[in-house]
Amino acid sequence: ETRGLRPLCLREPGATIVSERIRDLLLDPDLEGLGARAEALLFCAARAELVANRIRPALQAGQIVLCDRYADSTLAYQGYGRGLPVAELDVVNRFATGGLEPDLTLCLDVPIETGLQRKRVASETNRMEAESLAFHERVRQGFLELAARQPERWRVIDATQAPHTVASAVRRYVDAILEEALGNETDHKHRK
C-alpha cells in the first residue's frame, strides 16, 4: 500500500460463498469421522473456487494477491500430517489451481506448542488445531521440507522473535519481490 498498490487479501479456504461454506465444514470442531482423502478434496474444491473466482481475475487485472494459506497447506496437512501420498496431492492441487503457484511463500515458523498456544489465546480451537502434537509436528516438518525443496519461492522466518522483527523480515521479503516485479514491469514498458 505504501507503493500505491492495492493488494487483494484473501484467506484459504474462504473468500467466496462456496469456499466459506466448505471452510465452515472443514474447521467445525464437532465434525467427526471425515476421512483424510475427503478432507483433502474439500480443501482442493474450495481452492479451485477461490482461484477461479477471485485470484485469477485479480491477477489478470494486474493486482497483487496476498493469500493466507494455499496449496502447500494441503501437502503439509493432508500429506505429511495425515499420511496421504504427497505426489498424488500435488497432482490434485495442480488440477484445482490450474497450475497457479505463488511467486513468494512465507512460512512463519514456531515450535508447535508456541503456535497452538497463540491460537488458543486468539480464538476458539477448530478441528485442525485440536489434532495431536505429533500431527502438528509432522505438519511443521512438512512445511519445512517443502520450503527446502523450493528455496527460490519459500522464505522461512523464525516467528519466535519479537513481532516487529518478524514484520520487518516479512516486509524485506515482500519488498524484494515487489522490486523485482515492478522493475521487470518498468523494463518491459521501456522496451515497448
Side-chain angles (χ1 to χ4, degrees):
E1 289 175 345
T2 60
R3 293 172 177 263
L5 303 170
R6 292 188 147 338
L8 175 62
C9 298
L10 304 168
R11 70 177 183 179
E12 206 239 32
T16 72
I17 292 170
V18 171
S19 296
E20 286 293 335
R21 288 186 180 170
I22 294 171
R23 177 188 186 88
D24 290 343
L25 176 68
L26 283 166
L27 300 182
D28 183 345
D30 297 326
L31 180 66
E32 294 180 17
L34 180 63
R37 286 181 185 274
E39 180 182 80
L41 291 170
L42 284 168
F43 274 112
C44 287
R47 183 170 302 125
E49 179 74 7
L50 179 65
V51 169
N53 292 302
R54 299 295 306 276
I55 295 176
R56 280 204 190 276
L59 292 174
Q60 289 167 349
Q63 196 169 9
I64 303 288
V65 176
L66 302 175
C67 191
D68 180 4
R69 301 197 182 269
Y70 192 61
D72 297 306
S73 292
T74 294
L75 301 180
Y77 278 87
Q78 284 71 47
Y80 290 88
R82 300 262 189 246
L84 293 178
V86 173
E88 291 179 22
L89 289 172
D90 193 41
V91 170
V92 177
N93 263 334
R94 282 197 312 274
F95 177 75
T97 65
L100 183 64
E101 281 198 351
D103 295 314
L104 173 66
T105 300
L106 301 173
C107 177
L108 305 181
D109 184 43
V110 294
I112 298 308
E113 295 83 0
T114 303
L116 291 173
Q117 181 59 36
R118 288 178 181 177
K119 287 298 287 183
R120 282 187 204 104
V121 169
S123 65
E124 293 181 26
T125 301
N126 67 39
R127 190 176 69 82
M128 299 300 283
E129 292 157 0
E131 290 288 343
S132 70
L133 287 178
F135 169 82
H136 287 287
E137 190 57 48
R138 290 190 304 271
V139 170
R140 179 183 184 213
Q141 290 308 311
F143 276 120
L144 296 175
E145 285 183 34
L146 292 168
R149 287 184 193 165
Q150 288 187 301
E152 66 284 353
R153 174 168 63 92
W154 284 76
R155 301 294 178 270
V156 178
I157 299 169
D158 177 0
T160 64
Q161 303 173 87
H164 71 276
T165 304
V166 173
S168 292
V170 168
R171 186 170 289 114
R172 187 172 56 252
Y173 291 131
V174 171
D175 281 345
I177 201 152
L178 286 175
E179 280 298 320
E180 182 180 318
L182 296 175
N184 289 341
E185 189 176 291
T186 302
D187 292 344
H188 182 67
K189 284 180 183 175
H190 288 306
R191 287 192 300 258
K192 284 188 174 178

